[in-house]
Amino acid sequence: MTGRRVLVLNGVNLGRLGSREPLIYGSTTHEQLAALCVQTGNEVGLDVEVRQTDDEAELVRWLHEAADSGAPVVLNSAAWSHYSYALRDACSQLTAPLVEVHISQVHAREEFRHTSVISGVATATITGLGVEGYRAALRFLAL
Ligand code: DQA
């Protein structure tokens, strides 16, 4: 099904989902997560594209692309969320809703994870629902 285009953007270290600290991040691989997001998009009428990068500049370019095309974004900017003002500035240029997602419950973890510089420019933040958070974000964007 083709519908409104939504970008799901995953940042640094999330390509290692599945093998990376599974007690914290679960056993779903990034490939499986991407398939889950595309499938959820099909269910709710969104054309979902999932990308992952370990390169902050590349993520900034993708956010510029989303700003220019008016695409909503689901963003897990991983560790960058906690300190990257460059990413925040890119997010604040977005022209459609932005849902920030964290797989783990960041507020129950180390203190440095309690702050997100992205949250202040996000429409909503979902944290601690595991990969279900991405599905909830997409369902919201389809409303
Ligand atoms: C994360 C939480 C971040 O603190 C961490 O650096 C990540 C993943 C999450 O999805 O739970 O890489 O964004």
Side-chain angles (χ1 to χ4, degrees):
M1 194 201 295
T2 51
R4 188 167 195 210
R5 188 157 167 273
V6 174
L7 287 177
V8 175
L9 303 179
N10 286 321
V12 61
N13 288 310
L14 292 171
R16 297 183 54 75
L17 284 176
S19 57
R20 173 193 185 197
E21 299 179 89
L23 291 179
I24 296 173
Y25 298 110
S27 55
T28 305
T29 64
H30 190 270
E31 203 180 333
Q32 290 166 336
L33 170 63
L36 193 73
C37 289
V38 169
Q39 182 204 307
T40 304
N42 287 339
E43 286 161 16
V44 299
L46 298 174
D47 183 9
V48 175
E49 185 180 337
V50 183
R51 303 180 189 170
Q52 189 275 328
T53 184
D54 292 329
D55 177 349
E56 189 181 354
E58 185 165 44
L59 183 52
V60 168
R61 282 193 292 275
W62 291 344
L63 289 163
H64 293 170
E65 178 193 323
D68 290 343
S69 67
V73 172
V74 176
L75 174 67
N76 185 345
S77 42
W80 292 322
S81 319
H82 307 307
Y83 64 87
S84 174
Y85 297 125
L87 275 186
R88 180 196 166 103
D89 285 352
C91 287
S92 60
Q93 296 172 51
L94 290 170
T95 47
L98 165 67
V99 182
E100 176 187 14
V101 170
H102 297 285
I103 293 167
S104 64
Q105 169 49 302
V106 286
H107 299 291
R109 299 182 62 198
E110 301 95 322
E111 189 113 21
F112 75 89
R113 297 185 204 275
H114 297 184
T115 298
S116 163
V117 300
I118 305 300
S119 296
V121 292
T123 309
T125 300
I126 298 170
T127 179
L129 296 185
V131 293
E132 273 302 312
Y134 290 84
R135 285 165 60 81
L138 290 166
R139 284 194 291 264
F140 165 75
L141 289 173
L143 292 177

